[in-house]
């Protein structure tokens, strides 16, 4: 769509090895970042609707999660109440600990997106229009080439995602890549309100769609990419998987090194067999391939 859009930046979710301590000048820092973003994007002909920059996303006071945590404490009093929702994996203690933290991060991200989505809906009402497509992506996205929406939407689909079929390790066929999602406007409420979607659907039923080899005797359920497939299946959406070169980005991090310098690397690397993204001109390694010693 040629209409102006919205951009989210969540400093908490994008921070890696960041020793900066935030103080009372943060508001001024955020204003400077917003001004810079507006200036840079407007110089390219873009128009910015809303920019949200948040140091923290408060999920603890959110009523849906409060109710779910109360139920979890009653059913499993010896567990972290975030262990089983929305991701479920309690194969052993260390994994259960990581899963609870991953769940909190996932919920923070989707609650932040929902707050931004509310701004999008208000803007549509105020200006009496609707977007044609909505792109949901994480704030660690590094775009490596120009992106052309019409090249993606030339194919039929309700939503478009990277195929990521050349990933190592390979994706399971019960998963859909959740690094980025481009949605037709008429189904985008599902993902703008994905935080509520997760709470109102019985996502634990996702586990029963998995083969026994993945369920691990009932101690493992769906990860976030399995949940996305489950939601899309339950909503009857047509999912179109596209080559990585048509959505030319990778998730990346800036890592502070012991000598005080920074290096950038790809994490959660995604690639496709058909029309892969060419990386020869980008001097960036996968994080897992770097010798950090």
């Amino acid at each position: 769509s040629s209409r102006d859009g919205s951009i989210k930046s969540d400093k908490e979710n994008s921070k890696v090895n960041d020793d900066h301590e935030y103080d009372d000048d943060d508001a001024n820092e955020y204003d400077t970042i917003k001004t810079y973003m507006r200036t840079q994007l407007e110089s390219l002909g873009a128009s910015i609707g809303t920019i949200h920059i948040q140091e923290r996303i408060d999920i603890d006071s959110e009523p849906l999660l409060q109710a779910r945590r109360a139920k979890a404490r009653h059913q499993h009093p010896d567990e972290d109440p975030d262990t089983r929702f929305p991701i479920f994996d309690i194969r052993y203690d260390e994994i259960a600990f990581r899963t609870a933290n991953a769940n909190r991060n996932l919920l923070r991200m989707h609650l932040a997106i929902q707050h931004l989505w509310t701004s999008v809906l208000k803007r549509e009402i105020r200006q009496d229009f609707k977007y044609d497509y909505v792109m949901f992506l994480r704030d660690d996205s590094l775009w490596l080439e120009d992106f052309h929406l019409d090249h993606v939407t030339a194919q039929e689909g309700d939503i478009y995602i990277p195929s990521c079929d050349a990933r190592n390790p390979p994706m399971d066929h019960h998963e859909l890549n959740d690094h980025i999602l481009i949605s037709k406007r008429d189904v985008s409420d599902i993902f703008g309100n994905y935080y509520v979607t997760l709470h109102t659907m019985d996502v634990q039923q996702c586990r029963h769609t998995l083969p026994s080899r993945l369920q691990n005797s009932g101690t493992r359920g769906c990860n976030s990419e399995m949940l996305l497939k489950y939601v899309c299946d339950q909503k009857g959406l047509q999912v179109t998987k596209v080559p990585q070169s048509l959505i030319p980005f990778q998730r990346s991090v800036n890592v502070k090194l012991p000598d005080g310098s920074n290096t950038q690397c790809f994490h959660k690397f995604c690639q496709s067999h058909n029309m892969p993204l060419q990386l020869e001109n980008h001097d960036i390694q996968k994080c897992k391939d770097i010798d950090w010693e």
Side-chain angles (χ1 to χ4, degrees):
S1 172
S2 61
R3 295 282 187 168
D4 40 348
S6 301
I7 292 178
K8 164 183 170 286
S9 176
D10 174 1
K11 294 190 72 171
E12 181 182 62
N13 290 340
S14 64
K15 187 167 54 180
V16 177
N17 289 353
D18 185 354
D19 295 329
H20 175 68
E21 294 183 1
Y22 298 99
D23 52 32
D24 292 338
D25 292 330
D26 284 350
N28 292 330
E29 179 190 356
Y30 294 162
D31 287 342
T32 301
I33 294 172
K34 289 181 180 180
T35 300
Y36 177 79
M37 292 175 66
R38 286 187 182 279
T39 301
Q40 293 297 309
L41 290 166
E42 287 172 359
S43 72
L44 298 172
S47 179
I48 309 304
T50 302
I51 300 175
H52 286 246
I53 300 178
Q54 299 169 271
E55 181 184 344
R56 295 193 58 79
I57 309 297
D58 175 23
I59 58 172
D60 296 331
S61 60
E62 200 287 310
L64 287 173
L65 185 57
Q66 286 182 331
R68 185 173 289 275
R69 282 174 168 173
K71 183 177 180 180
R73 289 187 181 100
H74 176 73
Q75 294 178 335
H76 307 282
D78 297 327
E79 283 185 0
D80 184 317
D82 296 324
T83 299
R84 296 172 181 254
F85 177 82
I87 300 169
F88 175 63
D89 191 344
I90 57 169
R91 282 173 288 169
Y92 50 88
D93 290 346
E94 182 181 348
I95 285 184
F97 176 80
R98 293 203 306 263
T99 298
N101 286 323
N103 281 332
R104 283 186 279 272
N105 287 333
L106 191 66
L107 291 169
R108 287 188 189 103
M109 180 184 73
H110 288 303
L111 184 59
I113 290 174
Q114 183 166 296
H115 290 162
L116 184 59
W117 185 241
T118 300
S119 299
V120 171
L121 298 179
K122 289 179 179 178
R123 188 177 184 82
E124 287 185 332
I125 293 172
R126 187 169 62 249
Q127 297 192 3
D128 191 26
F129 82 101
K130 280 198 172 185
Y131 292 96
D132 299 318
Y133 293 91
V134 181
M135 182 183 297
F136 299 92
L137 67 162
R138 300 170 188 254
D139 59 3
D140 58 4
S141 301
L142 176 65
W143 291 91
L144 300 168
E145 305 289 346
D146 289 344
F147 169 68
H148 301 279
L149 178 63
D150 56 339
H151 294 176
V152 174
T153 58
Q155 306 173 71
E156 285 296 320
D158 293 316
I159 67 169
Y160 304 86
I161 60 171
S163 67
C164 208
D165 57 356
R167 190 181 76 176
N168 184 22
M171 294 187 66
D172 190 89
H173 72 275
H174 295 88
E175 297 175 315
L176 292 177
N177 180 265
D178 63 355
H179 296 180
I180 188 169
L181 185 150
I182 300 168
S183 168
K184 285 184 176 178
R185 176 62 185 89
D186 58 355
V187 299
S188 57
D189 286 291
I190 297 170
F191 307 103
N193 293 316
Y194 201 67
Y195 180 87
V196 171
T197 299
L198 291 174
H199 278 279
T200 53
M201 290 184 67
D202 186 2
V203 295
Q204 295 306 318
Q205 290 299 313
C206 178
R207 175 161 56 98
H208 301 302
T209 67
L210 304 178
S212 57
R213 64 178 175 82
L214 292 178
Q215 292 193 43
N216 199 61
S217 301
T219 60
R220 185 184 184 189
C222 290
N223 61 30
S224 65
E225 294 179 312
M226 293 171 180
L227 286 173
L228 177 59
K229 184 179 188 305
Y230 178 75
V231 169
C232 290
D233 288 347
Q234 291 297 303
K235 299 293 185 180
L237 301 182
Q238 180 181 349
V239 179
T240 300
K241 300 178 182 180
V242 301
Q244 195 71 24
S245 59
L246 295 188
I247 309 181
F249 87 107
Q250 293 291 342
R251 293 180 63 186
S252 70
V253 292
N254 291 311
V255 181
K256 182 180 289 185
L257 301 177
D259 63 4
S261 64
N262 290 292
T263 189
Q264 191 172 45
C265 58
F266 297 137
H267 76 122
K268 306 286 187 179
F269 186 80
C270 196
Q271 187 60 287
S272 59
H273 288 297
N274 178 40
M275 297 174 61
L277 177 60
Q278 301 301 315
L279 299 170
E280 291 81 1
N281 296 327
H282 303 285
D283 188 22
I284 305 176
Q285 293 180 271
K286 299 176 187 176
C287 299
K288 68 177 183 178
D289 293 340
I290 296 177
D291 182 3
W292 298 103
E293 296 301 327

